[in-house]
Amino acid sequence: MSAPVERVGVVGCGAMGTGFAVLCARNGRTVTVVSSSPATVSRGRQRLRESLERAAAKGKLPAGDLDAVLDRLSVTADLADLAGCQLVLEAVPEDLDLKIEIFSQLDKVVQDPDAILASNTSSIPIIRLARATARGSHVVGMHFFNPVSVMPLVEIVASLLTEDRIRDRAQEFATTVLGKEAIVSGDRAGFVVNALLIPYLLSAVRMLESGFATAEDIDHGMLRGCGHPMGPLALVDMIGLDTVGAVADALFDEFKQPLYAPPPLLSRMIDGGMLGRKSGRGFFDYS
């Protein structure tokens, strides 16, 4: 029987990695976060602190608990510091080559032979990452949604190589420890949510591109006509145009269906650095 997961590793200190790390630490786990380089370690620590301070300011974290949670969080630039982890979540950008390289390295540095190696990928088939290791049976997808602290869902994705008990351990950790709701998806690009969501978002981009309606009217139509909490173009801006483009590319590569092909407008905006909220400008202006 596997030991309970107490030591967690996170590769990547962006929005998803930070959110997952903080959630684990708030639920009593010791967490080591690997940042991209020594130069970004201090920025990673600051990002973790700011996330906790925001939670405390909103009354979601008792002020007296902030230091205790911070004490359970550490940031490093060395993957070797994840050697003792029982679960490692990769949360780097949607770049297949980068993710394969990380899983290849994790296979060498994580010492526990029963450790779960998980990916937060939103689109890449898990078996492609599993094949980068000598323990494909222990590789699983754990796709959280942004912001991790707020969104209740996680998709659990087992490849053809994943052992059932590893899938079940990952799901139990997400639900019992982190308090999330889980759905189980087959190992196909986009999984459940993005395979349905991305064609909808791309359709909104195509509608804008064709001149059929303005961005404001497209989003207002879905807000007021369908009761959606956010319009599709505002949602693309929040996710990041580059991320939406990468997921669309992965879906099109898998299924070869036109509805998954990124529209030229999306591609040109990505080329121009108009990535949405994180760049200050996307389909709407955030400057």
PDB file of all heavy atoms in Angstrom, residues 28-50:
ATOM      1  N   GLY A  28      -1.587  21.447   4.157  1.00  0.00           N
ATOM      2  CA  GLY A  28      -0.661  20.759   5.045  1.00  0.00           C
ATOM      3  C   GLY A  28       0.483  20.023   4.394  1.00  0.00           C
ATOM      4  O   GLY A  28       1.239  19.327   5.082  1.00  0.00           O
ATOM      5  N   ARG A  29       0.673  20.164   3.095  1.00  0.00           N
ATOM      6  CA  ARG A  29       1.752  19.436   2.423  1.00  0.00           C
ATOM      7  C   ARG A  29       2.995  20.313   2.320  1.00  0.00           C
ATOM      8  O   ARG A  29       2.906  21.541   2.201  1.00  0.00           O
ATOM      9  CB  ARG A  29       1.330  18.996   1.014  1.00  0.00           C
ATOM     10  CG  ARG A  29       0.664  17.628   0.977  1.00  0.00           C
ATOM     11  CD  ARG A  29      -0.460  17.499   1.947  1.00  0.00           C
ATOM     12  NE  ARG A  29      -0.951  16.124   2.077  1.00  0.00           N
ATOM     13  CZ  ARG A  29      -1.905  15.779   2.919  1.00  0.00           C
ATOM     14  NH1 ARG A  29      -2.464  16.682   3.720  1.00  0.00           N
ATOM     15  NH2 ARG A  29      -2.293  14.516   2.997  1.00  0.00           N
ATOM     16  N   THR A  30       4.149  19.668   2.367  1.00  0.00           N
ATOM     17  CA  THR A  30       5.418  20.342   2.140  1.00  0.00           C
ATOM     18  C   THR A  30       5.653  20.402   0.634  1.00  0.00           C
ATOM     19  O   THR A  30       5.597  19.376  -0.040  1.00  0.00           O
ATOM     20  CB  THR A  30       6.566  19.574   2.818  1.00  0.00           C
ATOM     21  OG1 THR A  30       6.298  19.491   4.231  1.00  0.00           O
ATOM     22  CG2 THR A  30       7.891  20.278   2.594  1.00  0.00           C
ATOM     23  N   VAL A  31       5.917  21.599   0.135  1.00  0.00           N
ATOM     24  CA  VAL A  31       5.946  21.804  -1.322  1.00  0.00           C
ATOM     25  C   VAL A  31       7.261  22.447  -1.753  1.00  0.00           C
ATOM     26  O   VAL A  31       7.684  23.462  -1.191  1.00  0.00           O
ATOM     27  CB  VAL A  31       4.774  22.699  -1.787  1.00  0.00           C
ATOM     28  CG1 VAL A  31       4.750  22.790  -3.314  1.00  0.00           C
ATOM     29  CG2 VAL A  31       3.443  22.168  -1.262  1.00  0.00           C
ATOM     30  N   THR A  32       7.884  21.844  -2.763  1.00  0.00           N
ATOM     31  CA  THR A  32       9.081  22.414  -3.389  1.00  0.00           C
ATOM     32  C   THR A  32       8.733  22.818  -4.811  1.00  0.00           C
ATOM     33  O   THR A  32       8.280  21.987  -5.600  1.00  0.00           O
ATOM     34  CB  THR A  32      10.228  21.392  -3.414  1.00  0.00           C
ATOM     35  OG1 THR A  32      10.517  20.981  -2.074  1.00  0.00           O
ATOM     36  CG2 THR A  32      11.482  22.013  -4.025  1.00  0.00           C
ATOM     37  N   VAL A  33       8.924  24.088  -5.114  1.00  0.00           N
ATOM     38  CA  VAL A  33       8.609  24.622  -6.441  1.00  0.00           C
ATOM     39  C   VAL A  33       9.910  24.859  -7.191  1.00  0.00           C
ATOM     40  O   VAL A  33      10.834  25.484  -6.667  1.00  0.00           O
ATOM     41  CB  VAL A  33       7.823  25.945  -6.336  1.00  0.00           C
ATOM     42  CG1 VAL A  33       7.483  26.472  -7.727  1.00  0.00           C
ATOM     43  CG2 VAL A  33       6.550  25.748  -5.515  1.00  0.00           C
ATOM     44  N   VAL A  34       9.978  24.365  -8.424  1.00  0.00           N
ATOM     45  CA  VAL A  34      11.159  24.580  -9.262  1.00  0.00           C
ATOM     46  C   VAL A  34      10.852  25.683 -10.262  1.00  0.00           C
ATOM     47  O   VAL A  34       9.964  25.552 -11.104  1.00  0.00           O
ATOM     48  CB  VAL A  34      11.573  23.294 -10.000  1.00  0.00           C
ATOM     49  CG1 VAL A  34      12.782  23.570 -10.894  1.00  0.00           C
ATOM     50  CG2 VAL A  34      11.898  22.190  -9.006  1.00  0.00           C
ATOM     51  N   SER A  35      11.611  26.772 -10.151  1.00  0.00           N
ATOM     52  CA  SER A  35      11.486  27.888 -11.072  1.00  0.00           C
ATOM     53  C   SER A  35      12.397  27.659 -12.274  1.00  0.00           C
ATOM     54  O   SER A  35      13.249  26.774 -12.265  1.00  0.00           O
ATOM     55  CB  SER A  35      11.838  29.189 -10.354  1.00  0.00           C
ATOM     56  OG  SER A  35      11.470  30.305 -11.116  1.00  0.00           O
ATOM     57  N   SER A  36      12.236  28.485 -13.303  1.00  0.00           N
ATOM     58  CA  SER A  36      12.917  28.223 -14.567  1.00  0.00           C
ATOM     59  C   SER A  36      14.415  28.495 -14.527  1.00  0.00           C
ATOM     60  O   SER A  36      15.168  27.908 -15.307  1.00  0.00           O
ATOM     61  CB  SER A  36      12.278  29.055 -15.686  1.00  0.00           C
ATOM     62  OG  SER A  36      12.333  30.437 -15.368  1.00  0.00           O
ATOM     63  N   SER A  37      14.860  29.367 -13.635  1.00  0.00           N
ATOM     64  CA  SER A  37      16.280  29.698 -13.577  1.00  0.00           C
ATOM     65  C   SER A  37      16.590  30.319 -12.224  1.00  0.00           C
ATOM     66  O   SER A  37      15.675  30.784 -11.522  1.00  0.00           O
ATOM     67  CB  SER A  37      16.655  30.690 -14.685  1.00  0.00           C
ATOM     68  OG  SER A  37      16.068  31.950 -14.426  1.00  0.00           O
ATOM     69  N   PRO A  38      17.868  30.356 -11.818  1.00  0.00           N
ATOM     70  CA  PRO A  38      18.220  30.988 -10.538  1.00  0.00           C
ATOM     71  C   PRO A  38      17.737  32.434 -10.442  1.00  0.00           C
ATOM     72  O   PRO A  38      17.370  32.905  -9.364  1.00  0.00           O
ATOM     73  CB  PRO A  38      19.751  30.905 -10.522  1.00  0.00           C
ATOM     74  CG  PRO A  38      20.062  29.704 -11.352  1.00  0.00           C
ATOM     75  CD  PRO A  38      19.032  29.704 -12.454  1.00  0.00           C
ATOM     76  N   ALA A  39      17.709  33.127 -11.581  1.00  0.00           N
ATOM     77  CA  ALA A  39      17.302  34.535 -11.585  1.00  0.00           C
ATOM     78  C   ALA A  39      15.826  34.721 -11.242  1.00  0.00           C
ATOM     79  O   ALA A  39      15.416  35.814 -10.837  1.00  0.00           O
ATOM     80  CB  ALA A  39      17.602  35.159 -12.941  1.00  0.00           C
ATOM     81  N   THR A  40      15.011  33.669 -11.408  1.00  0.00           N
ATOM     82  CA  THR A  40      13.570  33.803 -11.173  1.00  0.00           C
ATOM     83  C   THR A  40      13.126  33.238  -9.826  1.00  0.00           C
ATOM     84  O   THR A  40      11.945  33.280  -9.507  1.00  0.00           O
ATOM     85  CB  THR A  40      12.777  33.093 -12.290  1.00  0.00           C
ATOM     86  OG1 THR A  40      13.093  31.689 -12.284  1.00  0.00           O
ATOM     87  CG2 THR A  40      13.102  33.684 -13.652  1.00  0.00           C
ATOM     88  N   VAL A  41      14.058  32.731  -9.042  1.00  0.00           N
ATOM     89  CA  VAL A  41      13.698  32.116  -7.754  1.00  0.00           C
ATOM     90  C   VAL A  41      13.072  33.142  -6.810  1.00  0.00           C
ATOM     91  O   VAL A  41      12.015  32.894  -6.205  1.00  0.00           O
ATOM     92  CB  VAL A  41      14.926  31.450  -7.101  1.00  0.00           C
ATOM     93  CG1 VAL A  41      14.635  31.098  -5.641  1.00  0.00           C
ATOM     94  CG2 VAL A  41      15.311  30.194  -7.869  1.00  0.00           C
ATOM     95  N   SER A  42      13.694  34.313  -6.664  1.00  0.00           N
ATOM     96  CA  SER A  42      13.156  35.314  -5.738  1.00  0.00           C
ATOM     97  C   SER A  42      11.788  35.798  -6.212  1.00  0.00           C
ATOM     98  O   SER A  42      10.892  36.044  -5.391  1.00  0.00           O
ATOM     99  CB  SER A  42      14.124  36.485  -5.597  1.00  0.00           C
ATOM    100  OG  SER A  42      14.330  37.125  -6.842  1.00  0.00           O
ATOM    101  N   ARG A  43      11.624  35.930  -7.520  1.00  0.00           N
ATOM    102  CA  ARG A  43      10.326  36.342  -8.053  1.00  0.00           C
ATOM    103  C   ARG A  43       9.279  35.269  -7.776  1.00  0.00           C
ATOM    104  O   ARG A  43       8.117  35.585  -7.489  1.00  0.00           O
ATOM    105  CB  ARG A  43      10.441  36.619  -9.547  1.00  0.00           C
ATOM    106  CG  ARG A  43       9.192  37.246 -10.132  1.00  0.00           C
ATOM    107  CD  ARG A  43       9.442  37.949 -11.469  1.00  0.00           C
ATOM    108  NE  ARG A  43       9.775  37.000 -12.535  1.00  0.00           N
ATOM    109  CZ  ARG A  43      10.927  36.970 -13.169  1.00  0.00           C
ATOM    110  NH1 ARG A  43      11.893  37.817 -12.828  1.00  0.00           N
ATOM    111  NH2 ARG A  43      11.151  36.117 -14.137  1.00  0.00           N
ATOM    112  N   GLY A  44       9.689  34.004  -7.847  1.00  0.00           N
ATOM    113  CA  GLY A  44       8.765  32.919  -7.534  1.00  0.00           C
ATOM    114  C   GLY A  44       8.321  32.956  -6.084  1.00  0.00           C
ATOM    115  O   GLY A  44       7.137  32.761  -5.775  1.00  0.00           O
ATOM    116  N   ARG A  45       9.272  33.197  -5.185  1.00  0.00           N
ATOM    117  CA  ARG A  45       8.915  33.299  -3.759  1.00  0.00           C
ATOM    118  C   ARG A  45       7.939  34.445  -3.530  1.00  0.00           C
ATOM    119  O   ARG A  45       6.970  34.313  -2.763  1.00  0.00           O
ATOM    120  CB  ARG A  45      10.175  33.524  -2.912  1.00  0.00           C
ATOM    121  CG  ARG A  45      11.116  32.340  -2.854  1.00  0.00           C
ATOM    122  CD  ARG A  45      12.121  32.530  -1.724  1.00  0.00           C
ATOM    123  NE  ARG A  45      13.125  31.478  -1.731  1.00  0.00           N
ATOM    124  CZ  ARG A  45      14.360  31.610  -2.188  1.00  0.00           C
ATOM    125  NH1 ARG A  45      14.750  32.779  -2.680  1.00  0.00           N
ATOM    126  NH2 ARG A  45      15.209  30.606  -2.154  1.00  0.00           N
ATOM    127  N   GLN A  46       8.186  35.566  -4.198  1.00  0.00           N
ATOM    128  CA  GLN A  46       7.303  36.715  -4.043  1.00  0.00           C
ATOM    129  C   GLN A  46       5.916  36.412  -4.568  1.00  0.00           C
ATOM    130  O   GLN A  46       4.906  36.807  -3.971  1.00  0.00           O
ATOM    131  CB  GLN A  46       7.897  37.921  -4.775  1.00  0.00           C
ATOM    132  CG  GLN A  46       7.091  39.209  -4.617  1.00  0.00           C
ATOM    133  CD  GLN A  46       6.996  39.676  -3.176  1.00  0.00           C
ATOM    134  OE1 GLN A  46       7.859  39.349  -2.345  1.00  0.00           O
ATOM    135  NE2 GLN A  46       5.953  40.423  -2.860  1.00  0.00           N
ATOM    136  N   ARG A  47       5.836  35.687  -5.670  1.00  0.00           N
ATOM    137  CA  ARG A  47       4.536  35.335  -6.247  1.00  0.00           C
ATOM    138  C   ARG A  47       3.741  34.450  -5.283  1.00  0.00           C
ATOM    139  O   ARG A  47       2.532  34.618  -5.120  1.00  0.00           O
ATOM    140  CB  ARG A  47       4.738  34.627  -7.587  1.00  0.00           C
ATOM    141  CG  ARG A  47       3.463  34.419  -8.365  1.00  0.00           C
ATOM    142  CD  ARG A  47       3.750  33.807  -9.728  1.00  0.00           C
ATOM    143  NE  ARG A  47       4.412  34.756 -10.607  1.00  0.00           N
ATOM    144  CZ  ARG A  47       5.567  34.525 -11.220  1.00  0.00           C
ATOM    145  NH1 ARG A  47       6.194  33.383 -11.051  1.00  0.00           N
ATOM    146  NH2 ARG A  47       6.087  35.431 -12.007  1.00  0.00           N
ATOM    147  N   LEU A  48       4.411  33.505  -4.643  1.00  0.00           N
ATOM    148  CA  LEU A  48       3.748  32.638  -3.665  1.00  0.00           C
ATOM    149  C   LEU A  48       3.243  33.455  -2.475  1.00  0.00           C
ATOM    150  O   LEU A  48       2.115  33.269  -2.008  1.00  0.00           O
ATOM    151  CB  LEU A  48       4.704  31.549  -3.199  1.00  0.00           C
ATOM    152  CG  LEU A  48       5.102  30.503  -4.252  1.00  0.00           C
ATOM    153  CD1 LEU A  48       6.294  29.697  -3.763  1.00  0.00           C
ATOM    154  CD2 LEU A  48       3.937  29.587  -4.573  1.00  0.00           C
ATOM    155  N   ARG A  49       4.083  34.352  -1.968  1.00  0.00           N
ATOM    156  CA  ARG A  49       3.688  35.191  -0.838  1.00  0.00           C
ATOM    157  C   ARG A  49       2.491  36.063  -1.202  1.00  0.00           C
ATOM    158  O   ARG A  49       1.530  36.171  -0.426  1.00  0.00           O
ATOM    159  CB  ARG A  49       4.859  36.049  -0.365  1.00  0.00           C
ATOM    160  CG  ARG A  49       4.478  37.079   0.709  1.00  0.00           C
ATOM    161  CD  ARG A  49       5.650  37.872   1.199  1.00  0.00           C
ATOM    162  NE  ARG A  49       6.447  37.099   2.136  1.00  0.00           N
ATOM    163  CZ  ARG A  49       6.157  36.975   3.425  1.00  0.00           C
ATOM    164  NH1 ARG A  49       5.078  37.571   3.928  1.00  0.00           N
ATOM    165  NH2 ARG A  49       6.920  36.275   4.221  1.00  0.00           N
ATOM    166  N   GLU A  50       2.540  36.677  -2.382  1.00  0.00           N
ATOM    167  CA  GLU A  50       1.444  37.550  -2.795  1.00  0.00           C
ATOM    168  C   GLU A  50       0.142  36.785  -2.937  1.00  0.00           C
ATOM    169  O   GLU A  50      -0.929  37.303  -2.608  1.00  0.00           O
ATOM    170  CB  GLU A  50       1.808  38.242  -4.112  1.00  0.00           C
ATOM    171  CG  GLU A  50       2.884  39.307  -3.963  1.00  0.00           C
ATOM    172  CD  GLU A  50       3.348  39.861  -5.294  1.00  0.00           C
ATOM    173  OE1 GLU A  50       2.924  39.317  -6.350  1.00  0.00           O
ATOM    174  OE2 GLU A  50       4.133  40.823  -5.301  1.00  0.00           O
TER     175      GLU A  50
END
